[in-house]
Amino acid sequence: MRRRNFIKNLSLSGAIASIAGGASVSAFAKVNKPSNTFNLDYAPHFGMFKGHAGEDLIDQLKFMADQGFRSLEDNGLLGRPIDVQNKIGENLEKLGMRMGVFVVDGGDNWKVSLTTGKKEFVDTFVKTCRDSVEAAKRVNAKWATVVPGFFERNLPMGIQTGNVIEALKRGAEVFEPHGLTMVLEPLSDTPELFLRYSDQSYAICKAVGSPSCKILYDVYHMQKNEGNLISNMEKCWNEIAYIQIGDNPGRKEPGTGEINYLKVFEYIDSKGFEGILGMEHGNALPGIDGEKALIEAYRKADSFKS
């Protein structure tokens, strides 16, 4: 096993905290926290700590747990072989960790535009939702990311929105019996995409009217598209089921850009959030030193209760 005294190699301060209150959503079930855990439940992704842990996915997962992270995010889970999915799930359970989002895309979600209302696109989406249920069972996942696809210039905005709502209702019918929630992610980096704003996502979730259709609020994308982060999160809070992190500009760890993550995390904690915050960003610096700096950045941004 290639864990190589990871704790010894990192001179990082610990943080001991507890999250108060129970959760009304089963996906927010509490997990035991190690002594060096964070106040909030941040989820790294594979590759983020391979300087310390090497290329092996399970060694990376164990390193994450050693550092006090309690969850994993793996956008590409659906494309991994079934035996690898099973292995990830088994080790998450052993380590007392949760699974964050994976992407419902079948490898090509950008080309399946639910905005068009085309039957073949909707059928592909529903099939991928069914495949996602099976993958979710292997890793005990509770959330899966959905992107409705490209803006359709030949259709009025209201028609596109109606098409998206109808398709998402079909997806919700697949997910609801299994306790799996699709989380809609408004994005910024590809301007041709249909879903871009938190209020737009909120209206769609309300129209779908299912506990299996909620918002993935990516702080990086929303800072770029609309700003006013805490106020906009507050307006949409009862439809937000999952949060992702990335500073702007650069899409790196907290503290590398303009976002005051100390205040953002303090707000999220004040709402009693017991879900997962996916670390959807790159490392600002390369190698082991960059990985140490990333963990220290989270210790600092997470210190709102110290």
Side-chain angles (χ1 to χ4, degrees):
M1 185 166 65
R2 302 193 310 246
R3 296 176 71 180
R4 300 193 305 271
N5 297 320
F6 294 129
I7 300 289
K8 187 176 179 181
N9 287 339
L10 293 179
S11 57
L12 302 175
S13 59
I16 303 174
S18 63
I19 298 177
S24 60
V25 182
S26 61
F28 291 173
K30 294 182 180 179
V31 294
N32 294 327
K33 296 192 286 186
S35 61
N36 65 336
T37 193
F38 298 85
N39 289 305
L40 294 171
D41 189 354
Y42 309 109
H45 55 79
F46 288 128
M48 186 166 270
F49 299 118
K50 64 182 180 180
H52 280 91
E55 297 289 342
D56 184 81
L57 299 184
I58 304 308
D59 283 348
Q60 292 181 40
L61 195 58
K62 290 173 180 175
F63 177 78
M64 295 171 193
D66 283 344
Q67 305 314 308
F69 294 107
R70 292 175 282 135
S71 294
L72 167 75
E73 185 170 283
D74 185 20
N75 283 342
L77 178 78
L78 203 57
R80 298 190 187 280
I82 290 175
D83 63 322
V84 175
Q85 294 178 15
N86 286 330
K87 192 173 182 181
I88 291 170
E90 291 164 5
N91 280 275
L92 284 170
E93 184 176 4
K94 288 177 184 176
L95 294 166
M97 297 176 71
R98 293 192 289 179
M99 183 70 200
V101 292
F102 63 94
V103 178
V104 179
D105 68 352
D108 213 6
N109 72 323
W110 312 113
K111 295 183 180 179
V112 179
S113 292
L114 303 181
T115 56
T116 66
K118 291 181 179 179
K119 182 179 184 300
E120 60 267 33
F121 287 169
V122 176
D123 289 346
T124 297
F125 170 66
V126 172
K127 179 185 181 302
T128 309
C129 288
R130 294 194 182 102
D131 293 341
S132 297
V133 167
E134 297 308 309
K137 290 177 182 177
R138 298 179 191 115
V139 295
N140 195 28
K142 302 299 181 184
W143 304 273
T145 305
V146 168
V147 177
F150 287 115
F151 186 85
E152 179 56 57
R153 295 184 179 277
N154 294 325
L155 291 176
M157 190 67 172
I159 302 300
Q160 294 183 68
T161 301
N163 289 338
V164 169
I165 290 167
E166 290 304 307
L168 294 177
K169 285 181 178 179
R170 295 276 306 279
E173 290 173 357
V174 173
F175 288 142
E176 275 187 26
H178 305 281
L180 186 61
T181 300
M182 57 181 168
V183 283
L184 310 182
E185 184 178 14
L187 297 167
S188 66
D189 289 343
T190 305
E192 291 298 314
L193 289 171
F194 166 79
L195 197 64
R196 294 183 58 79
Y197 303 105
S198 59
D199 65 328
Q200 179 192 17
S201 306
Y202 180 90
I204 290 171
C205 288
K206 287 295 186 184
V208 174
S210 167
S212 286
C213 183
K214 297 294 180 181
I215 296 172
L216 190 170
Y217 190 97
D218 188 310
V219 179
Y220 162 77
H221 289 300
M222 293 301 90
Q223 172 70 358
K224 291 183 66 179
N225 282 356
E226 61 189 28
N228 204 19
L229 295 168
I230 291 175
S231 177
N232 284 328
M233 290 182 78
E234 180 66 23
K235 292 181 179 72
C236 297
W237 185 259
N238 65 354
E239 294 297 327
I240 294 173
Y242 197 94
I243 296 169
Q244 286 182 330
I245 304 158
D247 216 333
N248 180 62
R251 201 172 183 178
K252 307 298 182 184
E253 64 264 23
T256 57
E258 65 189 359
I259 300 173
N260 186 345
Y261 266 106
L262 187 68
K263 287 296 184 183
V264 171
F265 289 160
E266 182 179 33
Y267 164 77
I268 292 169
D269 182 73
S270 76
K271 300 297 289 184
F273 186 70
E274 292 184 353
I276 293 173
L277 295 91
M279 297 160 63
E280 177 92 324
H281 58 76
N283 298 12
L285 300 173
I288 289 177
D289 288 342
E291 294 170 11
K292 291 180 181 179
L294 183 149
I295 297 171
E296 186 60 34
Y298 273 89
R299 295 288 180 207
K300 184 176 180 180
D302 187 69
S303 65
F304 50 84
K305 283 187 175 181
S306 61

